[in-house]
C-alpha cells in the first residue's frame, strides 16, 4: 500500500517547481510510439506495469493524464559538445573565415577566450535546455589541450554531478585541437581518463595529426589501459577517410574490442563507391562498431538507411549547439531527426521511425544502458509529447508535455522543473 500524497506543480514564466517527491507515478492514456493507448505505472524509478488505457486505478503518489498523447522513450544525444556553446549569450554573428577543421577550432577558441565563458555554466545551460526538450541521456566530447588544460573537463564533471539524478551522462576525452601536433595533449587526456572519462576520443588521424598509425596506437592504448571505449571523430573525406575506417576496424579486431568502438561523422561512407562501401560495412559489422551520424555537412554523409538495413549499429546527436561552427544545431533531438530525415530525402513514416529508433535505442545501446526501454522492468525514462504519430512529433516539434527521468518529472510543458 502506497501513501497517497499529491505533488503540486507551480509554474512561472521560466520554470515549474515540483513540490513533494513521489515513489509511484501513474501515467494514464498514452500511446507508446503511436501504438494502442496504455496506462503505465512506475515504482521507484522503474516501469512496474503496462496495461490497456483505463484499466488502472488512481493509486499512485503522482498521476499524469497523458490525454491520448504519444509516449516516447527518453531521447538520447549520443554526440554532444556541452563544454562549448554560447547559450544564454547575445547572438553570435558568425564571421568564420575558411572551412578546414583548423579554421573552425581556431575561430571557436578565439571567441571562447574573448567571451571568457565558464564551461561549468555553459554546460549546465546546455543540459537544462536538453532535459526540457526530452533528452534523458548525453554522451559529450570535451575539449582537452594544453591551452585550457582540464578546466573544460572539470566544468563538465561538475555539471554531470549536479544533474546525476536527472540525466545519464558520459564524457569522452577529446583532442579537438590535435594530439600529436599539440605536445602535452596526450598526458592531459590520460589525466582525464584517470578522473573518470568514459571514453577515449580521437580526431582525424591523417588530416589533423599527420600520423594515422601513431594516432590510433595512442587512442587504443589509452582506452585499453583505462578500460574505456573509443569514440573517434572522423571527418576525413573519400578514400583517405575509408583508409582510416580500415585502420580503426583492424585495430578493433586485433585488440578484441568489438562492441566498444564508435566512429563519429564518417562522411567518407557517403563518398566511396558501392563496392568499397559494402566491404567497409562488412568490416564494421564484424567488429560491432557503431556509426554516429547527424546528417551534417554540405556534402555527403553516411547512407543511414543502407547502414541500418545492413544491421550496422547507429546513433546520433546534436554535435555542438549554439556555437561558432554554424547556426543550425540546437538541443532538440526530435529536430535532429527532422534534419536527418530531410537531408536523407526520406518521405515514408517508417524511415523517420527508423531515425527515431537511432536517436533513442541506438544511443542507449552505445552508452551501454541496459535499463533503457519502454518495457516493464526498465528505467522510467520517457517523454510525453503531443501528436498521434511519431513522425508527426518529429515534424511539428511541439513542446514536450512531460519529461520523466527515473520516474521523476524533470520537465513539463517545455520547461525545466527545478527543485
Ligand atoms: Zn563532434
Amino acid at each position: 500500500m502506497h501513501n497517497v500524497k499529491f505533488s503540486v506543480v507551480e509554474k512561472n514564466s521560466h520554470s515549474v517547481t515540483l513540490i513533494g517527491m513521489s515513489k509511484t507515478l501513474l501515467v494514464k492514456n498514452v500511446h507508446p510510439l503511436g501504438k494502442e493507448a496504455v496506462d503505465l505505472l512506475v515504482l521507484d524509478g522503474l516501469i512496474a506495469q503496462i496495461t490497456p488505457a483505463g484499466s488502472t486505478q488512481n493509486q499512485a503518489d503522482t498521476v499524469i493524464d497523458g490525454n491520448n498523447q504519444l509516449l516516447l522513450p527518453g531521447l538520447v544525444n549520443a554526440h554532444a559538445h556541452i563544454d562549448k556553446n554560447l547559450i544564454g549569450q547575445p547572438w553570435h554573428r558568425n564571421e568564420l573565415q575558411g572551412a578546414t577543421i583548423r579554421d573552425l577550432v581556431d575561430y571557436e577558441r578565439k571567441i571562447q577566450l574573448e567571451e571568457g565563458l565558464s564551461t561549468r555554466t555553459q554546460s549546465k545551460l546546455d543540459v537544462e535546455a536538453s532535459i526540457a526538450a526530452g533528452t534523458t541521456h548525453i554522451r559529450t566530447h570535451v575539449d582537452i589541450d594544453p591551452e585550457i588544460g582540464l578546466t573544460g573537463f572539470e566544468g563538465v564533471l561538475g555539471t554531470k554531478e549536479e544533474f546525476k539524478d536527472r540525466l545519464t551522462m558520459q564524457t569522452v576525452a577529446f583532442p579537438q585541437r590535435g594530439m600529436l601536433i599539440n605536445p602535452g595533449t596526450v598526458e592531459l587526456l590520460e589525466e582525464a581518463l584517470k578522473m573518470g572519462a568514459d571514453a577515449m576520443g580521437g580526431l582525424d588521424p591523417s588530416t589533423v595529426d599527420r600520423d594515422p598509425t601513431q594516432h590510433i596506437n595512442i587512442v587504443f592504448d589509452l582506452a585499453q589501459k583505462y578500460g574505456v571505449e573509443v569514440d573517434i571523430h572522423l571527418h576525413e573525406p573519400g578514400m583517405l577517410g575509408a583508409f582510416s575506417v580500415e585502420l580503426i576496424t583492424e585495430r578493433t579486431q586485433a585488440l578484441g574490442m568489438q562492441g566498444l568502438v564508435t566512429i563519429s561523422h564518417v562522411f567518407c561512407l557517403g563518398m566511396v563507391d558501392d563496392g568499397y562501401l559494402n566491404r567497409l560495412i562488412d568490416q564494421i559489422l564484424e567488429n560491432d562498431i557503431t556509426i554516429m551520424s547527424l546528417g551534417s555537412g554540405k556534402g555527403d554523409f553516411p547512407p543511414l538507411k543502407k547502414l541500418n538495413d545492413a544491421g550496422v549499429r547507429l546513433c546520433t546527436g546534436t554535435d555542438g549547439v549554439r556555437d561558432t561552427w554554424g547556426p543550425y544545431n540546437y538541443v532538440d533531438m526530435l529536430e535532429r531527426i527532422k534534419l536527418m530525415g530531410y537531408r536523407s530525402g526520406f518521405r515514408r513514416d517508417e524511415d523517420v521511425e527508423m531515425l527515431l529508433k537511432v536517436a533513442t535505442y541506438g544511443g542507449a545501446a552505445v552508452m551501454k544502458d541496459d535499463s533503457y526501454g519502454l518495457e516493464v522492468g526498465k528505467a522510467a525514462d520517457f517523454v510525453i509529447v503531443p501528436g498521434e504519430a511519431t513522425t508527426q512529433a518529429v515534424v511539428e516539434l511541439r513542446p514536450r508535455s512531460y519529461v520523466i527521468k527515473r520516474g521523476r518529472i524533470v520537465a513539463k510543458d517545455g520547461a525545466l522543473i527545478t527543485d
Side-chain angles (χ1 to χ4, degrees), residues 79 81 233 265 319:
H79 188 108
H81 292 267
H233 278 67
H265 298 304
D319 217 357

Side-chain angles (χ1 to χ4, degrees), residues 62-74:
T62 304
V63 178
I64 292 175
D65 182 359
N67 200 22
N68 234 10
Q69 298 178 90
L70 285 165
L71 180 74
L72 307 180

Side-chain angles (χ1 to χ4, degrees), residues 203-262:
L203 172 72
D204 296 338
S206 294
T207 54
V208 172
D209 260 2
R210 325 300 294 180
D211 186 344
T213 304
Q214 183 63 358
H215 183 97
I216 286 169
N217 284 345
I218 292 172
V219 168
F220 278 83
D221 285 354
L222 282 177
Q224 285 226 307
K225 183 174 178 183
Y226 291 91
V228 298
E229 300 202 7
V230 167
D231 191 335
I232 297 180
H233 278 67
L234 187 63
H235 310 91
E236 292 166 356
M239 296 297 282
L240 181 60
F243 174 61
S244 291
V245 171
E246 291 200 46
L247 290 178
I248 293 167
T249 56
E250 286 163 10
R251 188 59 57 93
T252 303
Q253 190 157 33
L255 297 176
M257 286 185 66
Q258 289 87 352
L260 301 174
V261 176
T262 299

